[in-house]
Amino acid sequence: MFEKMRVKTKVIDSGKSGLDTQTLEVNVGPQHPSTHGVFRMTIVLDGEVVKSLRPVMGYLHRNHEQIAENITYSASMPYTDRLDYFNSMSNNQAWAMTVEQLAEVEIPDRAEYIRVIMSELTRLVNHVSVIGFLLNDMGAFFTPTLFAFREREKVLDVFEAVSGSRMMCNYLRFGGVNRDLTDDQLGQIKKIVADFPAFLDEFETLLAQNEIVCMRCQNVGVLPAELAINASITGPMLRASGVNYDIRKVDQYSVYDRFEFKIPLGEKGDVYDRYYVRMLEMRESLKILNQALEQIEPGPFMAPKVPACLKNPRNFKPPVGEAYGRVEAPKGELGFYVVSDGSKEPWRYHVRAPSFINLTVLEAMCIGYKLADAIVILGSIDIVLGEVDR
Amino acid sequence: MPQLEFLIKCGVYGLMGLGIIAAVGAVLLPNLFHAGLALAFVLVTIAGIFMSVGAEFLGMVQILLYVGGVMTLIIYTIMLTGRLGAKDVRAQNRQGIFAAIAAGFFVCWIGPLILKTGAWPQRESDSAPPLLSVEDLGMSLMTEYVFPFEVLGVLLFAVLIGAIVIARQDRPS
Amino acid sequence: MDQMFVNIKAALVGLSDKVFPDWVGVLVSIAVSIVAIALLGPLIMMYLTLIERKVVARMQNRIGPNRVGKYGLLQPLADGVKMLIKEDIVPRNADKVLHLLAPILIVAPALLVFAVLPFGRNMTAVDLNVGILFFAAISSIGTIGIFMAAWGSNNKFSVLGGMRSVAQMISYEIPMVMSVVPVLLAVGSLSTNAIVEAQADWHWFVFTPWGFLGCVIFFLCGVAECNRSPFDLAEAESEIIAGFHTEYSGMKFALFYMAEFMSAFTISGMTTTLFLGGWQGPLLPSWLWFFLKTYGLIFIMLWFRATLPRLRVDQLMALAWKFLLPLSLVNIVATCIWHFLSDEAFFTPAAFLVPLALLVFSYWGLMKLNQPYMPEKRVYPLVD
Amino acid sequence: MIIPLEHVLLFSLILFAIGMVGVLTRRNAIGILISIELLLNAVNVNLVCFSRVSEDPMAGQMFAFFVIALAAAAAAVGLAIVVAIYRTRNTVQTDEIQLLKW
């Protein structure tokens, strides 16, 4: 509001000017209110300005990949829920797609539509909560978060109805989904989709044009497109930097080729763009949802002609080979790489976790900004520690 | 009412005693931060003494300027110049004994002089309202003392600029 | 009704006069005021926490506390008990004396300011003839308490918070005092009572151009002084955990909380006194008017809290030094113009319009000079 | 005066002596400044108390007022110098700052 807020940082060279400035090293996390879990950053501050930042991960490490290599393929499904516990549906989808690729399973249309509907709902939930948390990090005392959570609850109700669980859904199966969607549930989803634009408008008028929000967000934490590409950033963060890359368009996996939707691109790659691109992505998701709900037709929800190996999931042995399945998860490209040696357990199992890879540019984005900005920048990356640490 | 007067007297003497203890602390405490806070306490007691002799305005200015302004500045400087977690260095130099002798001599010389001079003027009407209202002070600042007042204004302005110029960091040209 | 509390106090003093010698009566009169304030302060604080939680909850689609007592009315007591029985943790390397003294030194000034608040007609505890100066002086002591807490905790977040807080309080004190000067010019007295008396017959200063601006500046600076959102950098929980009181627990922490809420009340009360006519108002008893106006302002504070994100430290400083301070200086000039044009009448068109023009012009000029941050219009292309 | 003037004078004398000890013995530049503030305040006490009993009550309070303002000015400049010295010399101990030029 009162000053161009670009922080003019001047590297104080103590040799040249003869000044002795004392830096302060603070540990933000793992017990810190706004590190989105048990993340830790060691920040060296000069006054309030970030001089260096070292992310320290691993406080939530649960040996996800090793566990998956010691259990059956289908037993990994509930574990994927716990990767990014905000988006269990898209995690399920990525894992299911990987194994289906390995076992060469054809999936019926209705199952694909249900998967798309679920993962787009997940995107809504994720984006709406991350924007709420971002504003919370900025100091808007929980109001945006709770506004967002009101909508999130409605979606979670649907998840509960279809899968029996609100967050750890474990809904998808190799070859389809666990249970069919009833007409009631479809109606429930239709109502959410119909109501959502009004909420988005409300949410936007609440803060999108607020001067303090703009001051805190615009031109803060700029991530240049080049760096974003080199660091293999994906998802809304990459698109906020102006790079047109969306796996839904690139791979056209599932039935995404049947929908009309656009990819919003950011202008500068700052926190504000990351925030606003997510807002726009939600509107696009709603478009997809509307089309999917229109196009979905009755039919089988599990592959009717299951390969012999899938008959008994406990004894499921895919052929020898490797597969990499990826989806456009709300946070970016979520991929599962799996190598099968023909036994019941994967020989190698690896997760390409978008949160983790997006987090790698944190220091580059934070240096030269203030401590308060570093928190907001971290919030704009959208991490979930379950996925970062695995 | 003599009883009330006694109470107030006790209060004033108490303030003086506390002030002296705190002053000793301000001078001798090895931790500068503590010394600064002790000084703040001395300043508050002196403000109390000002109030007790009817100089309410000055008492308030004392707290506002000294405690709120100067003390904050001093403590801020202590924090700026002291390293976090640095070891305490010796606070006093080796002139302690000489300084104490000098001060003792000073007190022993002037103290008796004060006590011997019996004829200090004493005002009788103790319970009378304060002699000077804020209005009086303001009027005389704008009339009789207007010249020093203006000079002071210029001085403060110069100080403002000077302090900024001295303390600001050199900008590489 | 209006003089209810005054009469109660007079009765108590009268009672003691019958039994004890007259000098005890003076002490009783003082004691009654002190006890009343010492009870009122914590009581206001306790129920402010409840009000805050309820109001903010309503703004966030929640209900707020409703388990302890009807409508959660006993919640503050439950919280108080909880605070009392909590373990009091002192960090090992903390400066124990400072750590102990800091909360006391922060609460004491917050409580002392109550002494000059005119709660109603004849209801000022101490009618100091330097009341406003007392308010400014006493509230500046709190800075030292925050310093002590920050330094004594031996925690880097505390030091960061303390540094921020002190820089903020020093900066905002200046425009705050400057925005009071117009009122003093108009009234010609520093006494809070005299200021309220001068606003009789709906001559509330907020209805004048300079009064309105002064009110806004004073209130904003007040919000900053008591570290409330959007100026709550000193205890920004998302950045520096709890700032200067990170290392406090139990009752000591409650004291910080108490100081914050009591100063929120005194700031609102002072704004009411200075600009909103204090206890002046028709029909209702004077003290009720005072509390109504004060709680109205407190509601605005809560509204800020529930809506606005926090400013950053450089933006905060820029606001105080580059905008509020010059504007409050211009406001003094505008008041002088008003004073000479208005000719003892409260409202004359010339006296209203000339200062208004001056203030609008300087507001516009300052906005131009500061190159205010206008939200950038961004284009987000939608591609395939 | 509610208490005899000589008691106030004694009080300020002791305060002054304490401040003097401080100025003479402190090593830290800020410590010296703290002691100087004590000296100024001791004088102020005298000025105000004399104004209470004198024929021209204004003079004493005015002087005290100016002294307070000047003390604020002195502190501002003094502390600015301390900060500047600390930045270049990395110390505020007066006996380590002996060079007149660096």
Side-chain angles (χ1 to χ4, degrees), chain A residues 81-132:
Chain A
D81 288 338
R82 280 128 182 107
L83 273 179
D84 175 358
Y85 40 78
F86 269 81
N87 314 315
S88 57
M89 289 290 192
S90 24
N91 301 346
N92 283 179
Q93 193 188 8
W95 177 230
M97 273 173 60
T98 314
V99 178
E100 280 152 9
Q101 204 182 322
L102 195 65
E104 288 169 359
V105 186
E106 283 292 316
I107 303 125
D109 261 11
R110 186 169 172 89
E112 288 283 26
Y113 274 106
I114 293 175
R115 285 180 179 189
V116 166
I117 289 170
M118 288 304 156
S119 68
E120 292 307 318
L121 282 177
T122 302
R123 198 181 311 281
L124 292 183
V125 169
N126 181 75
H127 283 2
V128 87
S129 6
V130 76
I131 291 170

Side-chain angles (χ1 to χ4, degrees), chain C residues 156-214:
Chain C
K156 288 168 184 172
F157 288 111
S158 298
V159 173
L160 271 176
M163 285 287 205
R164 280 184 180 189
S165 165
V166 171
Q168 172 181 342
M169 284 177 99
I170 293 177
S171 309
Y172 276 83
E173 196 135 283
I174 299 167
M176 186 164 163
V177 172
M178 287 297 169
S179 66
V180 178
V181 171
V183 177
L184 306 181
L185 286 177
V187 177
S189 167
L190 283 162
S191 150
T192 46
N193 259 5
I195 288 169
V196 178
E197 299 283 358
Q199 301 180 66
D201 307 326
W202 294 97
H203 287 178
W204 301 2
F205 290 137
V206 75
F207 297 140
T208 58
W210 56 266
F212 179 75
L213 186 67

Side-chain angles (χ1 to χ4, degrees), chain C residues 33-56:
Chain C
S33 299
I34 289 175
V35 169
I37 284 174
L39 286 179
L40 190 67
L43 199 73
I44 283 173
M45 172 263 174
M46 282 165 70
Y47 279 92
L48 260 183
T49 59
L50 184 67
I51 291 170
E52 163 152 39
R53 291 171 69 178
K54 278 280 185 193
V55 170
V56 172

Side-chain angles (χ1 to χ4, degrees), chain D residues 33-72:
Chain D
L33 255 162
I34 289 177
S35 309
I36 290 176
E37 299 295 337
L38 271 181
L39 296 182
L40 289 171
N41 269 281
V43 174
N44 260 0
V45 172
N46 268 7
L47 287 173
V48 171
C49 291
F50 270 118
S51 102
R52 176 68 169 166
V53 294
S54 84
E55 293 305 313
D56 175 18
M58 193 60 74
Q61 290 210 20
M62 276 301 136
F63 268 101
F65 180 77
F66 288 130
V67 168
I68 290 178
L70 282 174

Side-chain angles (χ1 to χ4, degrees), chain A residues 1 34 48 141 143 263 273, chain C residues 60 164 238 306 373 380 383:
Chain A
M1 173 158 54
S34 54
E48 288 256 341
F141 179 69
T143 308
I263 306 298
D273 279 353
Chain C
Q60 299 175 340
R164 280 184 180 189
S238 61
Y373 187 80
Y380 293 93
V383 297

